[in-house]
Amino acid sequence: MSLTHTLGLLTHPDREWEAIRNEPESLGKLYLGHVLLLGLIPAIAGFYGSTQVGWQIGDGQVIRLTTTSALQLTALFYLAMLTGIYIIGRFIDFFAATYDVKDSNPRGVTLAAYTATPVFLLGIAAVYPNIWVNMIVGLIAIAYAVYLLYEGLPILMKIPEERGFMFASAVLTVGLVMFVALLAITVVIWSVGIGPVYVS
C-alpha cells in the first residue's frame, strides 16, 4: 500500500494526501512498506558512490572510502534516517493539540515518512558524489519535501490552511534543529573513531 502513494505524491499530491488520510496504516506497515525500502536508496547509492566512484576536490586525486568504513557510515546514516522520521513524527503528534487537531488517530509519523519521499528518491544522486550535482539535487529534494509538508499537513490533520501553515512552520523548525543536532552528533561519533577511512 505505502509504495503506491510514492508516484501520486510526485504527480498529484493533493489527491494522494487525501488517499493517505482515508487509508490509515499501522506504524509497522508504514515502515515496512515505505520507509525501510525507500531509505535504502540514498544509503546504497552513497555506499556505491563513496567506494566505487569516489570524489575529487579541484584537480586532486580521486578519493574513495574503504568498504568497511563506508559500510559503517552507511549503516549509521540509514539508522539516522529511520530514527529521524520517527522523532519528527512524534513531535508532530505532540504539537497536534496546540493546533487544535481533533483527530484522535496520531498521523505524525505518516506525515514525516511521506514528506521525506523526494529526499529518499533523489538520494540516488549519491552514486555520483560530485559536490555540485549533489547540492543541486539535494536542494530540489528538500524544496519539494517542504512543499509536501505545507501541502499535506492541513489535509492529513484536517485543519484550516492558515493553521496548517503555522503548524508546518513549527515542524520545519524542529527538522532544522534536528539537522544541526545530527551534525553535532556526527562530530562526536567521528571523534571516537567511527569516521571515514580513505583508500590510500
Side-chain angles (χ1 to χ4, degrees):
M1 178 68 71
S2 298
L3 281 178
T4 60
H5 295 304
T6 303
L7 185 60
L9 286 170
L10 301 177
T11 55
H12 43 79
D14 285 355
R15 272 184 290 151
E16 209 56 44
W17 280 121
E18 290 284 358
I20 291 167
R21 177 176 174 73
N22 296 328
E23 300 162 6
E25 297 173 278
S26 67
L27 185 62
K29 253 184 166 178
L30 177 67
Y31 261 75
L32 285 172
H34 186 79
V35 180
L36 293 174
L37 293 174
L38 290 185
L40 287 172
I41 295 172
I44 292 171
F47 174 78
Y48 179 84
S50 62
T51 57
Q52 304 303 311
V53 180
W55 62 94
Q56 203 170 7
I57 299 171
D59 293 329
Q61 67 176 45
V62 175
I63 302 166
R64 293 184 185 87
L65 295 181
T66 64
T67 302
T68 305
S69 175
L71 271 175
Q72 282 181 335
L73 295 175
T74 299
L76 287 171
F77 174 68
Y78 185 62
L79 186 64
M81 283 190 298
L82 303 184
T83 307
I85 284 172
Y86 182 79
I87 292 172
I88 289 177
R90 287 305 178 207
F91 267 109
I92 293 169
D93 291 336
F94 176 75
F95 289 152
T98 307
Y99 291 92
D100 291 333
V101 175
K102 306 294 184 202
D103 198 337
S104 58
N105 185 18
R107 298 179 186 273
V109 179
T110 301
L111 179 68
Y114 285 116
T115 297
T117 298
V119 177
F120 288 149
L121 294 177
L122 292 180
I124 193 72
V127 295
Y128 180 63
N130 175 285
I131 189 166
W132 295 110
V133 170
N134 282 257
M135 193 185 312
I136 291 166
V137 171
L139 285 172
I140 292 168
I142 290 168
Y144 197 75
V146 169
Y147 166 73
L148 285 178
L149 173 66
Y150 278 89
E151 194 74 14
L153 192 144
I155 296 170
L156 207 59
M157 301 293 179
K158 245 183 177 173
I159 57 175
E161 281 190 24
E162 325 71 72
R163 207 178 306 146
F165 180 84
M166 295 301 293
F167 193 168
S169 299
V171 172
L172 191 58
T173 303
V174 168
L176 291 172
V177 169
M178 278 188 60
F179 178 70
V180 172
L182 184 62
L183 292 177
I185 291 167
T186 303
V187 171
V188 172
I189 289 173
W190 285 16
S191 68
V192 296
I194 308 177
V197 178
Y198 304 104
V199 175
S200 51

